[in-house]
Amino acid sequence: MPALVVVEVEIHDPEMYEEYKKLSLPAVEAFGGRFVVRGAQTESLEGDWNPQRFVVLEFPSVARAKEWWSSEQYTIAKKIRHQASHGKMLVVESV
């Protein structure tokens, strides 16, 4: 069953975050993933929620998404993301 990775990001070093973006795409694709949303403008319809940056990725399965997240290939990008931003990330089965 497909899985979605949903990410809310607050960037505090935009230049460093650009480097993360360059490295993250090949890592996502290596695990069969694709970006569904990558930083598009959001509009809150309910509640007090207005993420600075919002990302949605799709993977073939939750297991594959977790393999990507813990992979050696993504580790370098993830370290840069942690230095350049603060975020929240969920993985969820899709329908």
Side-chain angles (χ1 to χ4, degrees):
M1 180 169 285
L4 298 176
V5 173
V6 179
V7 189
E8 180 181 348
V9 183
E10 182 180 322
I11 300 166
H12 50 261
D13 187 333
E15 191 173 307
M16 185 181 287
Y17 197 82
E18 287 301 315
E19 186 62 28
Y20 163 75
K21 287 174 21 181
K22 291 176 194 171
L23 295 172
S24 66
L25 179 59
V28 167
E29 291 175 340
F31 288 84
R34 70 180 186 94
F35 285 92
V36 178
V37 176
R38 192 173 192 188
Q41 185 175 349
T42 62
E43 180 180 347
S44 180
L45 298 177
E46 291 188 28
D48 184 21
W49 188 28
N50 190 19
Q52 182 188 56
R53 182 172 179 83
F54 190 73
V55 178
V56 179
L57 301 103
E58 182 181 52
F59 287 91
S61 66
V62 168
R64 199 68 172 143
K66 290 166 125 182
E67 288 172 10
W68 156 76
W69 184 83
S70 62
S71 71
E72 212 173 293
Q73 185 171 1
Y74 185 58
T75 295
I76 294 167
K78 188 179 358 178
K79 285 180 182 178
I80 293 170
R81 178 174 53 82
H82 287 162
Q83 291 175 353
S85 66
H86 174 74
K88 299 174 187 172
M89 183 181 295
L90 297 170
V91 63
V92 61
E93 279 189 355
S94 183
V95 293

